[in-house]
Amino acid sequence: GVTSHLEIFDCTEKTISVLTLQLPEPFLNFAWEPKGNKFCVLVGSTKITPLIYRYDKGKPAPQLLSKIESGTNLNSISWAPQGGWLIVYGASTPGGLVYFIDASGQTEANRIRSIEHPSLTKAFWDPTGRYLAICSFGGKSRYETGYRIYTFLGREILRKIVDSLLQFRWRPRPPIQLSEQKLKEIRKTLKQKSQQFEEEDKRELLKVSKEIIELRQSALALFKEIRQRSQNYDIEEREEKLALRGGKDLKKMELDLVEETITIALNTEMEELKETNTAKESDDMD
């Protein structure tokens, strides 16, 4: 059978070393984590299996973190720009299967969600790595063209159909307008600033909570006032009725109840009575 392997070259040293990794199934695709020490390999023929490895310098072989459940027509890998999260999907396939994988840990990786986007063409992470756009571009496909936007957890937040969509681009993040010295100062005081911001958030939250409590108390006071007016009106109305009835309160009076049975004929039928000729009957008997 066909065997596959990877060769990893360490170019950080003067003497370039080569590490060979044997793969359990035929090789299909490969992608490094942008900022990290992990990589993903797709292997298989009919069923494609994503393998997540971690490469630690100085160790004899990469460590297999997880063997993700196999899927059909998986052929592409896309890591989030900051690493940690990735998707494995079937580009230009009828089913359009997509795996959202959490590889942010150092010991294992997990598939957290799988979706289907028929005839998807390509996936695009936004610069922050928090959102993902999956697109179906125009062409001779019988499927609708457009895009869907997901969170990095695989939750769909937007779906839009665009006729003859040909391209999709995220707006790039603007460059940081701070000097390197200023960035160092920010990093140094980040913990202190974080505590300060948290205290400000708490004060703002307490302020909002106080406003909500005041609104609720005002609404409750208005309700009690309206209820008291209604009760006073009922008392006045009852006193007027008592005065008109000579002090008799019908609600407190005991009524004498008499049980009476009424029979109603449900059906009436009239029948004509015929006279009998007794004499004639006697003659016949003789």
Side-chain angles (χ1 to χ4, degrees):
V2 178
T3 60
S4 300
H5 70 274
L6 294 178
E7 291 185 352
I8 301 174
F9 295 81
D10 185 1
C11 300
T12 60
E13 301 292 341
K14 187 174 182 180
T15 303
I16 298 176
S17 60
V18 182
L19 188 149
T20 302
L21 175 65
Q22 294 292 334
L23 298 177
E25 297 181 73
F27 170 84
L28 181 64
N29 205 341
F30 170 92
W32 278 103
E33 183 181 20
K35 296 181 180 180
N37 58 347
K38 294 184 282 292
F39 59 88
C40 177
V41 187
L42 298 183
V43 296
S45 52
T46 306
K47 289 279 190 176
I48 308 302
T49 304
L51 304 176
I52 310 296
Y53 289 89
R54 188 185 76 214
Y55 172 69
D56 294 318
K57 189 175 180 180
K59 291 191 176 181
Q63 179 185 352
L64 177 62
L65 297 182
S66 293
K67 181 179 180 181
I68 308 299
E69 181 183 349
S70 302
T72 56
N73 297 325
L74 296 173
N75 54 28
S76 302
I77 307 167
S78 180
W79 285 88
Q82 305 301 322
W85 296 80
L86 73 150
I87 62 165
V88 176
Y89 62 100
S92 302
T93 59
L97 183 63
V98 182
Y99 284 176
F100 287 81
I101 300 173
D102 176 11
S104 57
Q106 292 297 317
T107 57
E108 64 177 347
N110 298 296
R111 188 193 72 175
I112 56 173
R113 180 165 293 185
S114 62
I115 63 168
E116 290 186 359
H117 186 160
S119 193
L120 74 90
T121 309
K122 198 168 183 181
F124 302 89
W125 287 96
D126 86 305
T128 66
R130 297 178 62 189
Y131 302 101
L132 175 77
I134 298 179
C135 305
S136 294
F137 293 139
K140 297 181 180 180
S141 173
R142 60 187 177 88
Y143 296 98
E144 295 176 337
T145 57
Y147 61 89
R148 303 177 190 178
I149 296 180
Y150 298 84
T151 65
F152 67 99
L153 295 173
R155 181 175 62 86
E156 183 178 334
I157 57 177
L158 178 65
R159 179 183 298 199
K160 190 169 184 180
I161 298 173
V162 181
D163 292 336
S164 302
L165 178 66
L166 297 176
Q167 197 175 58
F168 183 96
R169 289 289 183 272
W170 286 99
R171 178 186 176 187
R173 300 188 72 181
I176 300 175
Q177 303 294 333
L178 297 175
S179 63
E180 189 63 29
Q181 182 65 28
K182 188 65 176 177
L183 290 174
K184 288 182 180 179
E185 292 178 5
I186 292 174
R187 294 190 188 100
K188 188 181 294 184
T189 60
L190 183 60
K191 189 174 182 180
Q192 180 182 354
K193 292 290 185 181
S194 298
Q195 293 177 352
Q196 179 182 344
F197 294 148
E198 288 177 1
E199 291 175 359
E200 291 179 359
D201 291 341
K202 288 180 181 178
R203 286 196 296 268
E204 190 67 25
L205 184 61
L206 290 174
K207 180 181 177 182
V208 173
S209 300
K210 184 178 179 181
E211 292 176 355
I212 293 174
I213 291 172
E214 290 176 352
L215 287 173
R216 289 177 178 174
Q217 290 177 345
S218 176
L220 181 60
L222 180 61
F223 167 75
K224 289 182 177 179
E225 181 183 350
I226 295 173
R227 184 179 62 178
Q228 187 62 44
R229 287 204 304 264
S230 299
Q231 290 176 348
N232 294 338
Y233 176 78
D234 290 341
I235 293 172
E236 293 175 0
E237 187 180 30
R238 185 165 60 250
E239 290 176 353
E240 290 179 0
K241 290 180 178 179
L242 287 174
L244 292 173
R245 294 168 182 160
K248 295 181 180 180
D249 191 351
L250 297 180
K251 292 183 179 180
K252 296 181 180 180
M253 292 177 63
E254 294 184 0
L255 301 178
D256 295 332
L257 301 178
V258 178
E259 184 176 351
E260 183 177 355
T261 303
I262 301 174
T263 304
I264 300 175
L266 299 179
N267 188 16
T268 303
E269 183 179 353
M270 298 181 65
E271 183 177 350
E272 184 179 356
L273 297 177
K274 296 181 179 180
E275 295 182 359
T276 57
N277 193 339
T278 56
K280 185 178 180 180
E281 290 178 357
S282 299
D283 294 340
D284 292 339
M285 291 177 64
D286 293 339

